[in-house]
Amino acid sequence: MEGTVKCAANYVPLTPISFLERSAVVYRERVSVVYGSVRFTWGETRERCVRLASALSVLGVSRGDVVAALAPNIPAMYELHFGVPMAGAVLCALNIRLDSAMVSVLLRHSEAKVIFVDYQFIGIAKGAFDILSAKGFKLPTLILIAECDPKQLSITSSTFSSSAIGSLEYESFLETGKLDFQIVRPKDEWDPIALNYTSGTTSSPKGVVYSHRGAYLNSLSTVLLNGMGLTPVYLWTLPMFHCNGWCFTWGVAAQGGTSICLRAVSAKTVFDNIVEHHMTHMCGAPTVLNTLINASVEERKPLPGKVMVTTGGAPPPPNMLFKMDEFGFLVTHSYGLTETFGPGTVCTWKPEWNSLPREEQAKIKSRQGVHHSGMEEVDVKDPITMKSVPADAKTIGEVMFRGNPVMSGYLKNLKATKEAFEGGWFRTGDLAVKHADNYMELKDRSKDIIISGGRKH
């Protein structure tokens, strides 16, 4: 319109980096990360992330470069979600269940310049480096992450020096960074922030590219669909390598929350942390929920308050939902893929359903539901005619998404990108029906997938 102008005063590219910047001001002294006996505040987390970005820059990492990570849910993994994009780079969080051969394939395909490796997975990384070296490929710089909690088993310094693939160590690396480093913000909010790989049974993994814009909007959506108020306490039972922790890595920061990091998940560690930290939110596949409901009497503890749980993957069976409710967990079912930044739909609960019999409630909760507020649309369509299937709970069609939290495309695979976006929608390959209320329910899958830990890839 006449008289308007787009300028720095009214337009800034959206990026999750801003969540950290704000929380470091508003919640500077509030605890941001907990890992065993280790504690960091939001002020400290920002400083560490700035140092990380600075150190990466000195190492030669620049805008658009890929930085890989092979680590569990530990403080360093959380910091990488901010420090890497603050250097202008793209984070590639690798599945810690992969073997050396697959890690070598992904390092080669992504052209990662640096890889951060937790000490537990140094053998996997060394195997991958051996494969790459034998084929004559240039190796990324390796930075090893030692155990930061003195109360947990730590790796010895002698292991560092004997490593044949690198001598840099994470904490020492951070110390080389400068606090006055100028954060590299995206020039365009469509610039890449993350690279996540899918896993197919009959084809090579695809590198899914996430944008700063999509990550920003989906992070806020996770806050809304999970009913996160200010300063939530989030337990990391969902791997951060999985779709960047469904964007909770950034979403928790938006609310000044506290991330409780777990190296490994067990019923005892979950219940202990819930009671100790008054945890409010967590996510996990039905396999995680199953672990909790089958906990022994010794492991189980009464919850200090209701805990919001988002689950995905296979629909949770009724008995699991009943048990979780009895224990004090409020479960919400969601659905999505790597290409939709994790959950793209949620089975939003309606108050009128509270009066239904428990069995009927369980049936409804097992549905994949409707798109969340950050996703523009989800539909079940005939993949040939692109017409919506009738909401009769019988006619099967393909689930398709459209919106900002949809990938930018597949790295170095324009053909696959165009095929996925044919017709102006992202074609998931999942088959579903629509109920009369337009809530969808998955019935089958037309593509080959691997289910790892109960999650789709």
Side-chain angles (χ1 to χ4, degrees):
M1 298 181 72
E2 186 178 352
T4 65
V5 59
K6 180 181 177 181
C7 63
N10 59 22
Y11 173 76
V12 179
L14 300 176
T15 173
I17 294 171
S18 63
F19 300 147
L20 174 59
E21 294 282 77
R22 182 179 184 274
S23 284
V25 173
V26 182
Y27 306 106
R28 183 169 184 80
E29 302 303 323
R30 183 175 176 81
V31 175
S32 57
V33 176
V34 174
Y35 174 64
S37 62
V38 175
R39 302 285 189 279
F40 294 116
T41 65
W42 278 111
E44 290 170 334
T45 292
R46 182 190 179 278
E47 289 182 359
R48 288 172 63 83
C49 291
V50 171
R51 287 187 184 277
L52 173 56
S54 172
L56 284 170
S57 180
V58 172
L59 202 60
V61 172
S62 58
R63 191 183 295 274
D65 287 338
V66 173
V67 173
L70 188 64
N73 292 347
I74 55 176
M77 187 62 156
Y78 189 78
E79 292 162 359
L80 285 164
H81 276 80
F82 292 97
V84 171
M86 288 164 80
V90 181
L91 177 64
C92 179
L94 298 173
N95 190 329
I96 58 176
R97 302 185 185 99
L98 299 178
D99 59 18
S100 294
M102 183 54 71
V103 170
S104 72
V105 169
L106 302 188
L107 289 178
R108 179 185 173 188
H109 184 264
S110 66
E111 298 182 51
K113 293 187 72 172
V114 179
I115 181 170
F116 290 83
V117 182
D118 178 79
Y119 72 90
Q120 276 192 306
F121 306 98
I122 196 67
I124 300 295
K126 185 180 186 304
F129 274 39
D130 289 343
I131 293 170
L132 291 172
S133 295
K135 295 180 179 179
F137 294 112
K138 184 180 179 181
L139 301 180
T141 299
L142 186 140
I143 299 171
L144 193 140
I145 306 169
E147 179 59 72
C148 65
D149 182 6
K151 292 188 177 181
Q152 298 192 44
L153 179 65
S154 64
I155 189 167
T156 64
S157 58
S158 61
T159 307
F160 294 145
S161 58
S162 65
S163 172
I165 56 176
S167 57
L168 292 176
E169 189 274 324
Y170 186 74
E171 292 298 330
S172 299
F173 183 66
L174 288 191
E175 291 177 7
T176 66
K178 307 298 182 184
L179 282 177
D180 61 355
F181 175 74
Q182 189 68 37
I183 294 172
V184 183
R185 299 180 182 278
K187 293 180 178 178
D188 187 314
E189 58 189 26
W190 211 66
D191 287 349
I193 188 173
L195 173 65
N196 292 294
Y197 280 92
T198 64
S199 300
T201 58
T202 59
S203 60
S204 298
K206 296 185 180 75
V208 177
V209 180
Y210 288 0
S211 68
H212 280 259
R213 175 181 176 81
Y216 179 97
L217 294 173
N218 203 58
S219 298
L220 294 181
S221 297
T222 63
V223 168
L224 292 174
L225 71 88
N226 288 277
M228 274 190 168
L230 295 176
T231 63
V233 182
Y234 183 84
L235 185 65
W236 278 102
T237 48
L238 173 76
M240 292 186 202
F241 67 71
H242 187 67
C243 305
N244 303 109
W246 292 354
C247 290
F248 278 98
T249 44
W250 301 306
V252 172
Q255 295 297 83
T258 301
S259 284
I260 311 298
C261 294
L262 296 179
R263 176 173 287 276
V265 176
S266 68
K268 185 179 188 306
T269 57
V270 170
F271 280 107
D272 287 350
N273 277 279
I274 290 174
V275 172
E276 180 181 356
H277 302 293
H278 291 257
M279 190 264 291
T280 60
H281 295 79
M282 61 177 279
C283 297
T287 51
V288 174
L289 276 53
N290 192 56
T291 298
L292 298 181
I293 64 173
N294 288 303
S296 66
V297 175
E298 293 76 22
E299 294 171 327
R300 200 181 310 153
K301 293 182 178 180
L303 307 188
K306 275 285 184 183
V307 176
M308 301 288 291
V309 180
T310 300
T311 189
N319 184 59
M320 179 182 290
L321 292 173
F322 298 153
K323 279 287 188 182
M324 288 292 287
D325 185 63
E326 290 172 7
F327 286 4
F329 296 97
L330 185 59
V331 180
T332 298
H333 189 212
S334 63
Y335 154 78
L337 302 90
T338 305
E339 291 91 338
T340 59
F341 291 62
T345 73
V346 60
C347 191
T348 302
W349 194 252
K350 299 179 182 180
E352 55 266 32
W353 291 339
N354 291 328
S355 59
L356 295 174
R358 291 180 73 195
E359 290 74 15
E360 191 63 29
Q361 289 187 34
K363 284 183 180 178
I364 294 173
K365 278 194 173 185
S366 68
R367 295 173 187 168
Q368 283 67 35
V370 292
H371 60 285
H372 61 63
S373 55
M375 186 68 70
E376 191 66 23
E377 281 185 273
V378 66
D379 199 3
V380 181
K381 293 176 173 290
D382 182 309
I384 305 301
T385 66
M386 292 299 287
K387 290 183 179 180
S388 300
V389 302
D392 58 8
K394 294 186 298 183
T395 307
I396 293 179
E398 183 177 356
V399 180
M400 301 189 190
F401 285 95
R402 194 171 68 85
N404 290 294
V406 172
M407 67 166 183
S408 303
Y410 296 116
L411 180 68
K412 302 177 185 177
N413 198 339
L414 185 58
K415 181 176 180 290
T417 300
K418 289 183 175 179
E419 289 174 352
F421 291 154
E422 185 182 352
W425 291 74
F426 167 61
R427 297 167 176 254
T428 66
D430 284 329
L431 305 179
V433 298
K434 281 197 299 187
H435 290 266
D437 57 5
N438 281 312
Y439 276 49
M440 68 176 189
E441 181 179 1
L442 289 191
K443 292 297 183 182
D444 205 347
R445 182 156 175 84
S446 61
K447 296 179 185 175
D448 288 326
I449 59 167
I450 291 174
I451 294 183
S452 173
R455 301 177 183 86
K456 287 186 177 182
H457 300 277

